[in-house]
Amino acid sequence: MAKEKPMSENCLKDMLPIRDALDVVSGKWKMMILVSIKHNNKRFRDIERSIPKISSKVLAKELKDLEQHKLIKRTVYDDYPVSIEYTMTEYAMSLEKVMNELHTWGLNHRKEILGK
Amino acid sequence: MAKEKPMSENCLKDMLPIRDALDVVSGKWKMMILVSIKHNNKRFRDIERSIPKISSKVLAKELKDLEQHKLIKRTVYDDYPVSIEYTMTEYAMSLEKVMNELHTWGLNHRKEILGK
DNA sequence: CTGTATCCACGAGGATACTG
DNA sequence: CAGTATCCTCGTGGATACAG
């Protein structure tokens, strides 16, 4: 990410990891779901209610994606009735800094674009 | 972003700025374009060549988006022939930290998912 | 409650050609 | 060189209904 080599194709080497990260974390809902779970919404229904406008189909799909990327964990409790909980993984905590930077920048950007 | 309030709708307050940021910065090409320009590709053609598979139509559109968000500047030089240069704005530098975090996390995530 | 199953609309983005 | 113009494909995601 440094500025040593003006031109060149290590340019690509910089792009690809960023794309990898965005593939996981961008999209219309993924971050919102993570934030919701982080705010202690564990049940499918709770998450669904916490995110305006999301549909159950989309939520189900996104949860699967996040699980595949090891960012959340799906736990089935064999109670009656069966209950299911989603929680963030330890690994997902590594996203903290990314999320904070995005949050901070997003707040500022809204001011920058709309404000002045 | 802290963990004080377990539940609640400041949850939404956390989500929205993140979405704002991602709207600007995510999408298939925007980050790659920024990285390319940062690597000193200034001309339309140079940027196009530096990013595999992008089409001129899409590049043109994305450049306009980025310009609207004040992340790049389009400068027309009235030489013969006219030349046009894209450069990052000062403001775009505020994305540095975001980009670095994404880059770092993306690198690590590839190892995490594929590696082990 | 926790999802699946269908059907459908829309917009992002690809392919190709062309213009000033 | 720096884009536009068309046309077309495809995936995301919305609406609704339904199942275990």
Side-chain angles (χ1 to χ4, degrees):
Chain A
M1 295 302 279
K3 57 181 65 170
E4 341 87 2
K5 309 280 179 53
M7 203 79 55
S8 87
E9 298 311 333
N10 67 357
C11 180
L12 257 186
K13 299 289 180 298
D14 277 358
M15 293 171 176
L16 297 179
I18 294 178
R19 274 277 290 264
D20 287 345
L22 285 175
D23 283 346
V24 176
V25 119
S26 84
K28 197 167 179 181
W29 303 111
K30 295 206 172 62
M31 275 296 197
M32 306 187 80
I33 294 169
L34 285 177
V35 171
S36 177
I37 294 177
K38 189 172 173 186
H39 275 262
N40 244 298
N41 295 118
K42 297 171 185 298
R43 314 293 302 274
F44 190 93
R45 196 89 240 290
D46 294 336
I47 299 170
E48 194 174 7
R49 278 189 307 98
S50 76
I51 303 177
K53 301 279 184 181
I54 198 168
S55 72
S56 52
K57 188 189 87 174
V58 171
L59 178 55
K61 179 190 163 285
E62 299 291 74
L63 286 171
K64 279 175 190 161
D65 286 356
L66 291 170
E67 199 188 352
Q68 284 192 345
H69 284 283
K70 306 189 181 182
L71 294 176
I72 61 175
K73 189 169 182 315
R74 182 181 188 272
T75 311
V76 182
Y77 295 97
D78 286 347
D79 310 341
Y80 305 92
V82 169
S83 76
I84 295 177
E85 283 191 4
Y86 293 93
T87 50
M88 286 183 77
T89 59
E90 273 301 312
Y91 176 54
M93 303 307 176
S94 68
L95 269 175
E96 281 274 322
K97 283 169 74 179
V98 175
M99 290 174 59
N100 279 322
E101 290 302 334
L102 283 170
H103 186 266
T104 304
W105 193 85
L107 272 178
N108 181 73
H109 187 61
R110 181 173 283 261
K111 273 184 287 182
E112 183 74 19
I113 291 300
L114 302 180
K116 71 178 201 185
Chain B
M1 297 299 281
K3 58 181 63 169
E4 341 85 5
K5 308 280 178 54
M7 204 80 54
S8 86
E9 299 309 335
N10 66 357
C11 180
L12 258 187
K13 298 289 180 297
D14 277 358
M15 293 171 177
L16 297 180
I18 293 177
R19 275 275 290 263
D20 287 344
L22 285 175
D23 284 345
V24 177
V25 118
S26 85
K28 198 167 176 181
W29 302 111
K30 294 206 173 61
M31 274 297 195
M32 305 187 80
I33 294 168
L34 285 177
V35 171
S36 176
I37 294 177
K38 189 173 174 183
H39 275 263
N40 244 296
N41 295 119
K42 297 172 186 295
R43 315 292 302 274
F44 190 94
R45 196 89 239 291
D46 294 337
I47 299 169
E48 194 174 7
R49 279 189 307 99
S50 76
I51 302 176
K53 300 278 184 184
I54 199 169
S55 72
S56 50
K57 188 189 88 173
V58 171
L59 178 55
K61 178 189 165 286
E62 299 292 73
L63 286 172
K64 278 175 190 162
D65 286 356
L66 291 170
E67 198 187 353
Q68 282 192 346
H69 284 283
K70 306 190 181 182
L71 294 175
I72 60 175
K73 189 169 181 316
R74 182 179 187 272
T75 311
V76 182
Y77 295 98
D78 285 348
D79 310 342
Y80 304 92
V82 168
S83 77
I84 295 176
E85 283 191 4
Y86 293 93
T87 50
M88 287 183 76
T89 58
E90 272 303 312
Y91 175 55
M93 302 308 175
S94 68
L95 269 176
E96 282 273 323
K97 283 169 75 180
V98 175
M99 291 173 61
N100 280 321
E101 290 302 335
L102 283 170
H103 185 266
T104 304
W105 193 85
L107 272 177
N108 181 72
H109 187 61
R110 180 172 283 261
K111 273 185 288 183
E112 184 74 20
I113 291 300
L114 302 179
K116 70 178 205 187

